[in-house]
Amino acid sequence: MLKTGDFFAFGRPKRILCTWTSRSMKETITIKEIARRLHISPSTVSRALQNNPRISPATREAVHQMAGQLKYFPSTTARNLRRGKTGVFAMVLPEIRENFFSEVVNGVEELAFGHQYTVALYQSHDLFERERQILSVLAANQVDGVMLSVAKESQQFDHIQNLLDRRIPVVLFDRIPPRIETHQVGCDMEKGAYEATKWLASRGFRRIALLNGPHPLVASEDRYRGYVRALLEENLPVENALIKRVDLTPDDTARQMAQLLSTPHRPDAVLAFNDYVALDAMQVCRKQGLQINADISFVSFANLPLTAYMDHSPLASVEQHPYQIGRTAVEILLSVTESGPDESAPAFQRVMLEPELVVRVE
């Protein structure tokens, strides 16, 4: 380390450049240093550190011992450069504070870290422009793969195609836009909505409303199709007055729920886009003096753990398996990034997990 200081000679101060170094701070131990000390080649050291059976046990032991003595740590950066990789998977999602997405992150991190990949996490906050900027940065930095759940504002997807054109693998999860040829992982929301609506009908509910998500989201259309199919099978009316779309904010949910309650024949049950929407809508009902699960009941999606602690929770919620969605997304990226240069690229994978209706109140 170089340090400038005052040095006194013969009573007169002089400004000189003093040099003092700590070997451990100055030098990074490399394979070449181990090879020099053991009088073997760097390639032999590299193979020995990987416990290659072509290297004799005695040499392997000597190399590991010297590596420990010198406090050698393999450089992940150097390894990735040799492989033409960055060692980074990026994940772009709307809001980490939502329990569903935080569980997806848990599934991603556990498997990615186990394969020595770093996960870079970004939030779009459901804004298209922010999502576009994030993907532009990721494209420029050539990450090894991207996992993306699109923002509710996103209706154009050239920024996703830009990643694919740069040969960066992309796995779309949960919120999956149409007509993009790439890997996909999600849960069958149409089936989930169908089963939830059928379950309500089987419990005697006849005026079942839908508090759906915003129109651009494919997940909203999936819920709508499942809901309508179930009503038709049960010979129940499909009424526009009972179908509302919310922008997923508490204020808009409150407005739409108030409109449902103002209809001449209010609903006796509501299928909500997710548990957050259901909880916001239930607040409106309470303020109007309605008793949850007596005057009006709810079924939703996401199966939030916190609802187990409520006195009057939604009757049921559709489990979407977010942890498994995260793990599956990483499995797909690993299958692509770990393929050898001579191997043909895997075909695009589409994995749709089976939903599970979790009944909380019988």
Side-chain angles (χ1 to χ4, degrees):
M1 178 182 293
L2 300 180
K3 183 177 179 180
T4 302
D6 289 326
F7 177 74
F8 288 84
F10 305 106
R12 293 179 300 174
K14 294 183 178 180
R15 195 76 172 175
I16 68 167
L17 189 65
C18 299
T19 62
W20 54 277
T21 63
S22 168
R23 180 182 182 86
S24 61
M25 294 176 65
K26 179 182 178 182
E27 295 183 3
T28 299
I29 300 301
T30 66
I31 285 177
K32 290 183 178 180
E33 177 63 16
I34 298 173
R36 184 185 69 79
R37 296 200 180 203
L38 294 176
H39 305 290
I40 57 179
S41 69
S43 61
T44 299
V45 173
S46 178
R47 293 190 184 98
L49 289 171
Q50 298 175 49
N51 295 315
N52 191 310
R54 293 171 56 188
I55 307 301
S56 70
T59 300
R60 274 184 276 162
E61 182 179 353
V63 168
H64 282 284
Q65 183 177 351
M66 182 62 69
Q69 179 182 330
L70 297 177
K71 294 181 172 54
Y72 166 78
F73 296 97
S75 171
T76 303
T77 302
R79 183 198 66 181
N80 288 331
L81 285 174
R82 288 193 298 270
R83 299 166 62 225
K85 305 292 182 182
T86 62
V88 176
F89 288 149
M91 189 175 189
V92 186
L93 47 77
E95 294 283 354
I96 187 61
R97 66 184 175 183
E98 287 193 19
N99 183 265
F100 174 85
F101 289 116
S102 63
E103 279 299 300
V104 175
V105 172
N106 287 339
V108 165
E109 286 188 334
E110 180 171 324
L111 188 57
F113 286 0
H115 286 78
Q116 298 183 319
Y117 277 86
T118 298
V119 178
L121 180 62
Y122 300 85
Q123 299 180 85
S124 68
H125 300 299
D126 268 326
L127 302 173
F128 166 73
E129 185 57 29
R130 184 179 176 91
E131 178 181 282
R132 188 192 64 78
Q133 291 175 355
I134 291 170
L135 264 59
S136 178
V137 170
L138 296 178
N141 285 277
Q142 288 289 316
V143 294
D144 290 341
V146 174
M147 293 161 280
L148 169 67
S149 186
V150 299
K152 67 184 180 184
E153 282 190 357
S154 298
Q155 298 185 53
Q156 301 175 7
F157 306 106
D158 291 346
H159 55 310
I160 301 176
Q161 189 59 49
N162 181 42
L163 288 175
L164 298 173
D165 291 343
R166 290 172 177 258
R167 304 181 67 83
I168 297 176
V170 176
V171 179
L172 300 172
F173 70 93
D174 185 49
R175 300 182 183 181
I176 302 171
R179 298 180 297 279
I180 297 180
E181 295 187 4
T182 189
H183 307 284
Q184 302 176 5
V185 182
C187 187
D188 190 341
M189 290 296 91
E190 181 175 342
K191 184 175 182 180
Y194 170 82
E195 292 180 348
T197 307
K198 292 278 284 188
W199 184 84
L200 283 169
S202 72
R203 296 305 188 272
F205 294 99
R206 289 296 175 262
R207 292 188 60 75
I208 304 171
L210 175 65
L211 272 180
N212 207 0
H215 179 73
L217 292 182
V218 172
S220 299
E221 304 313 304
D222 290 342
R223 285 166 169 78
Y224 174 79
R225 286 194 298 270
Y227 162 80
V228 169
R229 181 158 60 93
L231 290 180
L232 293 176
E233 287 186 9
E234 296 292 331
N235 294 316
L236 296 176
V238 179
E239 300 181 30
N240 289 333
L242 293 180
I243 301 172
K244 300 293 183 182
R245 291 185 181 273
V246 303
D247 65 7
L248 305 182
T249 64
D251 287 345
D252 192 48
T253 297
R255 283 192 294 270
Q256 301 303 329
M257 188 66 224
Q259 288 184 22
L260 284 175
L261 296 179
S262 68
T263 57
H265 303 286
R266 64 172 173 78
D268 54 6
V270 177
L271 176 62
F273 182 84
N274 60 29
D275 283 336
Y276 294 107
V277 171
L279 296 178
D280 290 332
M282 289 162 65
Q283 285 286 87
V284 176
C285 296
R286 290 190 185 94
K287 289 178 180 178
Q288 295 199 19
L290 299 177
Q291 185 176 351
I292 304 302
N293 298 336
D295 299 318
I296 189 168
S297 298
F298 288 81
V299 171
S300 52
F301 292 76
N303 193 27
L304 289 178
L306 66 88
T307 57
Y309 301 96
M310 297 175 58
D311 291 335
H312 302 286
S313 68
L315 296 179
S317 188
V318 177
E319 173 60 60
Q320 299 171 239
H321 310 293
Y323 183 86
Q324 187 58 43
I325 286 176
R327 285 188 63 91
T328 303
V330 176
E331 288 172 356
I332 291 174
L333 285 182
L334 289 172
S335 71
V336 176
T337 58
E338 298 300 315
S339 298
D342 296 330
E343 299 180 45
S344 59
F348 291 136
Q349 301 180 51
R350 184 176 187 271
V351 180
M352 285 293 126
L353 303 178
E354 286 290 310
E356 177 187 356
L357 185 66
V358 179
V359 177
R360 303 190 181 113
V361 182
E362 289 288 356

